[in-house]
Amino acid sequence: MPTTVNLRTVTNSVGWSVLSKTSTFGLKFVTVPILARILSPQEFGVVAVAQTVVMFLTMIGSAGLSASLILEREEDAETVHSVFWVNLVVAAAMAACIYIWALPFAGWLGAQEAAYLLKVMALLVPLQLCGDVAYSLLARRMEFRKDAGWSVFSESVGAITAVGLALLGFGVWSLVAQLFVSAIVRLGGLFHATGYRPRLVLSLAKVGALTRYSLGIMGSEIFNFITFQSPLVVVSRHLGLADAGAYSAANRFSSIPNQVLLAGLMGVLFPVFSHMNDDPRRRTDALMLSTQVTTVALAPMMFGLWAVAEPGMFLIFGPQWVHAWPVLGLLAVSKGIMSPCSTYIPFLKGAGRSDVLWWVAMLRAALVYGLVSYGAVTGGLHAAMIWLCVANAITLVFYSWAVFRTSGTAFLSSFYVTTRPMVASIIMAVAVRYMLEHVKADLPGGLWWNALSQAAVGAAAGAVIYGLLLVLTERELLRKLFELMQQRNAMPASENRQET
């Protein structure tokens, strides 16, 4: 039976989803610095390059079919089984391609040393794709509590495995083992949580009916993948594995706020928006509110990380990585610029506009690859990261225009409202950075204590400054959120039921 989507359902789902991402954040906050102190930049780089190929072909293999199950009005068993078997066949073919052409793939990425890892990591493709259908069933049922539990458990087991093997001297294999252990545990957990068991049922007609939407999703995911992974490929090819390792480590850490808020929220918003297809006005209101809220929460984290990047890099990764602090700061800025776009992908997917999603993703991929390549060739790693920020600033404008045009809202007024918290975050970050430059010499001596003091003072000052700016600029949003929370708490218990 269809799932009821109301304020309580949405907030509970977001809460569980963000909780799972927060737990993953905690694990990465601990394990990434530990692994960075044990392993070398070259070891991080070679695994990152190999993982790039696996992730790319995994995303192609899914072809958007699993996502289309969320958009379907009814949960049809024949369609579900058909999508599973198509995914499995494609996954096996992709894994075979990686194994056979591992050396050419690695050479194209500028890291032939990663070829042997590619052959092993090819098995990750079917492990990951086989769980897509089960996750889609959980998402369309809004059962994010179950997904949260298994996500945390699988990541925990994988992280413990990686640290243990790294301490025992297994080097890159500790990172590979982490990926496999997490994938296997999560796959079993998803099947257990949904109760889904594949049956030998295949209807090509049912799969074909999903093709138009799924191909649009596949195209957009390919270009999104190019956007996110092309900087690593460019750095690896033009600047070497050491710079690729520095980029990979900094990118892992700077991506944590996105993974906590953005990934958690996107997974919930897609089925939420799809449930609102019969009420476009309600869907547009939900888009504006969710975009404002995510920008208010995400932008200060990212720009604040830029403000304390120098002491933060020393504290988190150790002195051998401190030279890469500008990379960490610029990566945080590049992600902060995109914070108003956090809700755009689930909105377009939920509205069934995979065509818009496709061409926007294509333009962004071309922009990021071109500008980052220019920066790497002409000025090295730091210049490449600066041009990544420029590419994201341009993307912010045309992406917002495309989404607001699709939703039927005025561009300039909507763009102003959704980017206003980002501007406040930039002002806060610049003020904190300026303050730290003038007080760091007066803070406690010793490299470690001085860095810790800078980070603590910067975080405290940033919280105060941003809080004041938020009260001055976002009073209407804060009032609306307060009213919504009152409305949620006043809901009768009967409205908390997920089934009607």
Side-chain angles (χ1 to χ4, degrees):
M1 301 181 71
T3 302
T4 300
V5 176
N6 55 35
L7 183 59
R8 189 185 292 271
T9 302
V10 173
T11 53
N12 285 347
S13 297
V14 170
W16 281 110
S17 188
V18 172
L19 176 62
S20 70
K21 303 304 177 183
T22 303
S23 301
T24 303
F25 160 80
L27 289 169
K28 290 187 176 181
F29 188 84
V30 174
T31 58
V32 170
I34 291 175
L35 292 171
R37 291 171 183 269
I38 298 172
L39 305 175
S40 68
Q42 286 80 4
E43 289 174 315
F44 262 93
V46 73
V47 174
V49 169
Q51 191 177 4
T52 298
V53 177
V54 173
M55 290 174 61
F56 179 65
L57 294 182
T58 298
M59 179 262 308
I60 293 177
S62 65
L65 287 175
S66 298
S68 64
L69 295 176
I70 299 176
L71 203 64
E72 291 289 287
R73 289 184 177 273
E74 301 293 335
E75 188 175 305
D76 177 63
E78 186 177 9
T79 303
V80 173
H81 294 314
S82 299
V83 169
F84 174 84
W85 291 114
V86 171
N87 273 359
L88 181 59
V89 170
V90 173
M94 292 294 179
C97 288
I98 294 177
Y99 187 88
I100 295 171
W101 290 296
L103 187 59
F105 276 133
W108 180 73
L109 293 172
Q112 290 187 343
E113 306 93 316
Y116 73 100
L117 284 180
L118 272 175
K119 293 186 176 182
V120 176
M121 293 171 65
L123 292 174
L124 284 171
V125 178
L127 283 176
Q128 293 175 354
L129 286 185
C130 285
D132 280 359
V133 167
Y135 172 78
S136 295
L137 294 178
L138 284 181
R140 66 173 287 115
R141 299 169 188 171
M142 301 294 287
E143 294 181 346
F144 290 94
R145 177 180 60 83
K146 296 179 181 179
D147 175 62
W150 282 105
S151 294
V152 173
F153 183 67
S154 63
E155 291 293 335
S156 299
V157 176
I160 292 171
T161 301
V163 173
L165 292 177
L167 290 172
L168 292 174
F170 281 87
V172 295
W173 295 109
S174 60
L175 299 175
V176 175
Q178 180 180 17
L179 298 174
F180 272 95
V181 170
S182 296
I184 292 171
V185 174
R186 178 164 171 75
L187 176 62
L190 287 173
F191 275 86
H192 175 77
T194 57
Y196 174 68
R197 301 294 182 269
R199 294 183 179 178
L200 289 175
V201 176
L202 178 63
S203 171
L204 295 180
K206 292 287 181 74
V207 174
L210 307 176
T211 301
R212 182 177 180 181
Y213 176 81
S214 65
L215 286 178
I217 296 297
M218 180 188 70
S220 67
E221 290 297 332
I222 290 175
F223 289 117
N224 283 334
F225 184 88
I226 294 173
T227 297
F228 298 136
Q229 298 298 326
S230 61
L232 175 63
V233 175
V234 169
V235 170
S236 175
R237 286 179 60 87
H238 295 287
L239 305 177
L241 284 178
D243 277 353
Y247 170 83
S248 177
N251 191 50
R252 281 191 178 201
F253 189 78
S254 64
S255 297
I256 289 175
N258 273 346
Q259 293 171 350
V260 172
L261 291 178
L262 179 56
L265 191 63
M266 285 178 65
V268 175
L269 286 181
F270 174 23
V272 168
F273 284 132
S274 69
H275 279 285
M276 296 179 179
N277 278 335
D278 293 331
D279 192 347
R281 178 57 184 272
R282 183 187 176 203
R283 190 179 60 200
T284 298
D285 292 341
L287 168 67
M288 293 300 297
L289 179 61
S290 59
T291 303
Q292 286 181 271
V293 171
T294 53
T295 308
V296 164
L298 189 59
M301 293 185 189
M302 304 316 304
F303 289 103
L305 180 57
W306 168 81
V308 297
E310 185 172 6
M313 197 74 180
F314 179 85
L315 289 172
I316 297 165
F317 293 99
Q320 71 271 30
W321 293 83
V322 74
H323 67 281
W325 77 262
V327 179
L328 175 63
L330 290 169
L331 280 169
V333 170
S334 71
K335 292 173 172 60
I337 291 170
M338 292 297 293
S339 55
C341 303
S342 303
T343 59
Y344 293 172
I345 291 178
F347 171 77
L348 292 173
K349 289 172 69 174
R353 296 305 304 271
S354 61
D355 55 333
V356 177
L357 197 59
W358 183 89
W359 71 259
V360 169
M362 179 184 64
L363 291 176
R364 184 187 178 192
L367 191 64
V368 168
Y369 182 79
L371 292 183
V372 171
S373 297
Y374 173 79
V377 172
T378 59
L381 184 57
H382 295 174
M385 296 301 97
I386 292 173
W387 281 105
L388 176 61
C389 295
V390 174
N392 281 353
I394 298 172
T395 300
L396 170 64
V397 177
F398 75 73
Y399 207 168
S400 299
W401 175 83
V403 168
F404 294 139
R405 184 174 183 271
T406 301
S407 66
T409 56
F411 169 65
L412 289 179
S413 59
S414 299
F415 186 74
Y416 168 72
V417 169
T418 53
T419 58
R420 191 168 53 203
M422 184 183 70
V423 175
S425 300
I426 295 174
I427 295 172
M428 174 272 294
V430 171
V432 170
R433 186 71 170 267
Y434 178 82
M435 180 195 68
L436 289 180
E437 288 296 325
H438 288 77
V439 304
K440 64 181 181 181
D442 300 324
L443 295 174
L447 292 177
W448 195 88
W449 281 108
N450 187 267
L452 180 61
S453 299
Q454 286 188 59
V457 170
V464 173
I465 294 171
Y466 184 70
L468 292 174
L469 290 173
L470 202 61
V471 171
L472 291 174
T473 60
E474 301 294 341
R475 288 191 297 271
E476 180 65 23
L477 174 62
L478 295 175
R479 181 189 62 79
K480 183 183 296 185
L481 291 176
F482 180 73
E483 290 176 352
L484 286 174
M485 292 310 299
Q486 286 185 317
Q487 177 184 343
R488 179 190 184 279
N489 293 334
M491 282 184 174
S494 60
E495 292 190 30
N496 193 32
R497 294 174 184 169
Q498 297 257 333
E499 303 292 329
T500 59

